[in-house]
Structure formats: C-alpha cells, structure tokens
Amino acid sequence: MYINKLIKPNVYSLSAYEAKEIPCKIKLDANESPYGLSDKALSDLRSLKSQRLFTTLNKYPDPQANNLKKKASKYFGVRLEKILHGNGSDELIYYLITTFGGPVLYPVPTFSMYVIITQALGEEKIEIKLDERFDLNLEKILEAIKKEKPKLIFLSSPNNPTGNCFSTDKILRIIEITSEKSIVLVDEAYQPFASEKGFLPMLDDYKNLVILRTLSKVGLAGLRVGFLIADENIINQVNKVRLPFNINSLSQAIAAIALNDKRALKARIKYIVSERERLYEDMSKIRGIMPYPSEANFILFRVKDSDKAYNELLKRGILVRNMKGVVNGCLRVTVGTPEENRIFIDALKGIINKM
Ligand code: PMP
C-alpha cells in the first residue's frame, strides 16, 4: 500500500488503543461507574432542556467552558485560572505532551494511553518497571531522571491497572528533585475511590506539579470531560495547543449540572468503595484466584488460566479486561452494582471450580 510509505514511522509502528465493543450482558471492563446522573441532576437537566440547551445548538460551545470550569473550581476547591478543560483526560495528556515534548517517563505497567500518545507525537519514552509490590522503583526513576532528563513524568495514582496508590513520599521526592526540570503529572482518575487525600492540597507548594482529574470514573464517561489542574503559567501554555471548541455544549452543560450535585457524586463514590471492599473479600475467598488490594473502582486479579477464565466469563455474558501483555496471568474487573458483582462472583466460582 503506497500510503504506508507516507505515514510517519512513529505512527506506522503504533498499535491503536483497543476499545472495541464486545457484546455482553454485564460490562465490567472499562472502569466505568454503574451509576449515571442523580435524580436531582436529571431534574435540573429537564428544566434546562426547556430553556436553551437544545435551542442553541446552531452556535459553537463556549470555548473557555467558563460555567463548567466555575463548577469544577468549586468542586475541587481550586481557582478557576488553575483549571484547563479537556474532552476527557486523554485529550489533556495529548496536550501536555504536545506542549512540553519528551522524553516522557512513566512506570510500567500503567495506563496505556501514556505510551500511545508519546509515540503518536514522535517523542521519546522512558519506561521504568514497578517493584514487586507495584510501587514506584524510586532508585531506578531517580537514576533515569539524572541520566535522561525527562521533560514529563506521568504517575497514575491509584494506578491503572494495578489499583494501588504509589507511595506519597516517593511521589513527593520525584516532584522535589525535578523542580524546574520536569513537569510531574499525577493522574488522579481514580483518586475519588482512594483512602488517601491525593495531591490537590499540595498544588500551591509545587510549581511543577500537574494533576489530572476526570468525570469518566464517577458516572459521566459518555460526556468526555476531564480537567488539568496546575499553576496558572502551565495552564496558559497548555491552553495554546487546545482546540478551541474541545468540549461540546451538551457535555459542558450536563457536566456543570452534575458537578453541582456534589453530595450525590460523593454518595455514589462511597457506595462503590464499599462494594469494592465486599467484592475484594468475596474474591479473596475463591481458591485459585488472587485479587490485589485496590484503591480504585476496579480489582486486578491473578487466575490460573487467565485466557480461559476471560472467555468463560464472556460466554456467560460478563465482560472483564484481559491484561495479557500488560500484567500476564491477570484479569481486571470493574466494580459494578451489587447484583452485577454477585453474578460475576458466582460465575467466577463456577469457572474456577471446573479449571
Ligand atoms: N487516566 C487513567 C489512569 C485512566 O485509567 C483513564 C481511563 N481509562 C484515563 C486517564 C482517561 O480517562 P478519560 O479520557 O475518560 O477522562
């Protein structure tokens, strides 16, 4: 094919992010929330609908997403000037690498978009293996920082797919040692489910700290809304590469309404955390599998024949994520509703018993 010769080599050698729709009855593969908008948000949305939401679609959305950012500012307790809005946090990862370039350092295994976007933008990557407890290998990271001088360091904490938070002391050490030399992104996609406070309270102490948040894991994955939270100087620079109308009007309006109902969002998060604990306990009782403790809305687990277990679950209509090639021998299951979790546990027990 002649186009193969025209494509940039770094793009040609990329594998696309695997996000195909696999038919299933119970979808526990993508770390989504089992719960959507609250009743209050739905009713607020209905009154908005009759006013202007659908009658102004002939106009472009607010390029600055000011109303949405105001609500986000209140929700996260940070000044509006420190927030940049993205079409999902994926887009903000793209913008960060576009703005600063590489090398990009991140531990592995971690969220797969870090490598995909780094490579798509033709930047260099530095991958450092996590230690046997899935924590950061600080010694190796510090060594790489000294030798290879990464411009960006990506730390997903809690980490996807392992589910644990990295040690706060290690993250702080990295932020401190790289001050004025690298930008450290703490990707807090799963922070709402963690027992630790996260890094927002430390934002003013470190100018090279950037925090990534998303609404995708707390019930609004379909809207595609994420936020980059950082020092104003960083926000202003990254904002230069942002596409002007990156979040559509409907998503802006609905996300603003959802953020306004903080109580419902927090209640659902708390409920998912308690379900996660129950799911973990139930999984721990199944002989032949080994779940890893999680601070996120999913659980990584080791199973004898992971391919077979994955396929058998799918045969019963239950879709989980096969982590083959990322954490071999492991599957990752998202915390669902109590009913979904019960069906998953019963199916898993049956499958393991026959293996
Ligand atoms: N960061 C991490 C660690 C994730 O796991 C994900 C989603 N899988 C994202 C970012 C991207 O989330 P979104 O683009 O939906 O905001």
Side-chain angles (χ1 to χ4, degrees):
M1 269 265 280
Y2 77 94
I3 66 153
N4 292 349
K5 290 195 202 110
L6 298 177
I7 297 169
K8 291 203 266 178
N10 53 302
V11 175
Y12 188 69
S13 61
L14 257 181
S15 312
Y17 180 80
E18 227 189 284
K20 47 181 189 264
E21 284 290 318
I22 301 173
C24 62
K25 281 199 253 157
I26 299 182
K27 188 173 181 306
L28 300 174
D29 68 323
N31 305 340
E32 295 146 327
S33 167
Y35 308 108
L37 289 167
S38 66
D39 288 343
K40 179 181 177 309
L42 278 172
S43 120
D44 289 352
L45 186 58
R46 267 183 220 109
S47 52
L48 190 74
K49 186 170 84 180
S50 56
Q51 289 167 26
R52 53 172 204 280
L53 185 57
F54 292 102
T55 52
T56 51
L57 290 177
N58 54 322
K59 304 287 187 204
Y60 281 111
D62 172 7
Q64 308 303 338
N66 263 317
N67 188 41
L68 171 61
K69 281 202 300 197
K70 258 189 228 157
K71 303 289 182 205
S73 158
K74 200 164 158 215
Y75 187 85
F76 294 118
V78 292
R79 290 210 346 268
L80 188 136
E81 293 74 20
K82 291 183 181 247
I83 302 177
L84 190 71
H85 52 291
N87 196 276
S89 47
D90 281 353
E91 187 185 48
L92 294 163
I93 295 168
Y94 215 103
Y95 290 164
L96 260 186
I97 305 179
T98 306
T99 305
F100 291 97
V104 182
L105 183 150
Y106 49 86
V108 283
T110 194
F111 181 40
S112 55
M113 287 312 291
Y114 301 160
V115 60
I116 293 177
I117 300 174
T118 302
Q119 199 173 331
L121 293 173
E123 299 293 349
E124 257 180 69
K125 60 177 192 229
I126 308 167
E127 299 186 335
I128 311 280
K129 260 189 163 172
L130 291 172
D131 68 17
E132 66 289 347
R133 303 178 61 214
F134 292 147
D135 199 2
L136 298 170
N137 187 332
L138 189 62
E139 206 178 306
K140 287 257 164 66
I141 290 178
L142 295 183
E143 211 177 282
I145 288 171
K146 205 164 160 195
K147 228 168 55 202
E148 303 181 58
K149 303 189 173 38
K151 290 243 194 87
L152 285 165
I153 299 172
F154 286 171
L155 306 172
S156 160
S157 188
N159 186 39
N160 177 12
T162 57
N164 58 306
C165 282
F166 298 139
S167 135
T168 302
D169 286 349
K170 289 184 182 180
I171 296 180
L172 285 178
R173 185 82 199 284
I174 293 168
I175 297 171
E176 278 164 8
I177 224 155
T178 56
S179 86
E180 301 193 10
K181 288 191 224 105
S182 319
I183 300 294
V184 181
L185 173 84
V186 181
D187 183 344
E188 295 194 336
Y190 303 99
Q191 200 287 326
F193 309 100
S195 54
E196 297 185 20
K197 273 205 217 92
F199 282 76
L200 276 177
M202 300 178 213
L203 197 64
D204 290 338
D205 301 335
Y206 303 103
K207 295 276 181 248
N208 62 330
L209 167 64
V210 171
I211 294 166
L212 197 58
R213 288 295 193 111
T214 178
L215 300 187
S216 297
K217 313 299 167 188
V218 294
L220 300 164
L223 293 183
R224 308 300 298 127
V225 174
F227 301 102
L228 194 74
I229 307 175
D231 184 74
E232 245 172 285
N233 290 317
I234 295 179
I235 295 295
N236 292 341
Q237 292 302 321
V238 182
N239 190 39
K240 290 183 189 169
V241 302
R242 182 178 60 81
L243 298 176
F245 307 109
N246 59 328
I247 304 191
N248 70 69
S249 318
L250 298 179
S251 289
Q252 286 191 31
I254 300 170
I257 284 173
L259 284 174
N260 219 13
D261 194 3
K262 190 169 184 171
R263 194 135 53 108
L265 278 172
K266 295 273 175 198
R268 277 140 187 246
I269 289 163
K270 209 167 147 196
Y271 190 61
I272 291 168
V273 169
S274 71
E275 266 308 299
R276 177 192 73 207
E277 294 307 300
R278 224 157 58 99
L279 182 61
Y280 178 79
E281 236 174 74
D282 289 347
M283 290 171 80
S284 306
K285 287 183 199 143
I286 304 176
R287 280 187 56 194
I289 72 156
M290 211 264 285
Y292 290 95
S294 169
E295 297 268 344
N297 67 341
F298 58 84
I299 295 175
L300 180 76
F301 62 102
R302 197 164 282 285
V303 51
K304 251 185 279 166
D305 184 342
S306 50
D307 282 345
K308 184 153 185 230
Y310 172 86
N311 287 322
E312 289 297 321
L313 281 166
L314 194 54
K315 266 193 216 160
R316 291 160 178 76
I318 304 165
L319 180 64
V320 297
R321 184 65 64 96
N322 191 343
M323 299 315 301
K324 192 179 187 163
V326 182
V327 194
N328 283 328
C330 284
L331 303 179
R332 190 193 69 193
V333 63
T334 305
V335 179
T337 61
E339 170 77 352
E340 288 172 335
N341 299 336
R342 189 187 55 73
I343 296 172
F344 163 73
I345 286 287
D346 288 348
L348 191 60
K349 271 186 202 158
I351 292 165
I352 301 293
N353 276 340
K354 281 202 212 123
M355 268 163 78

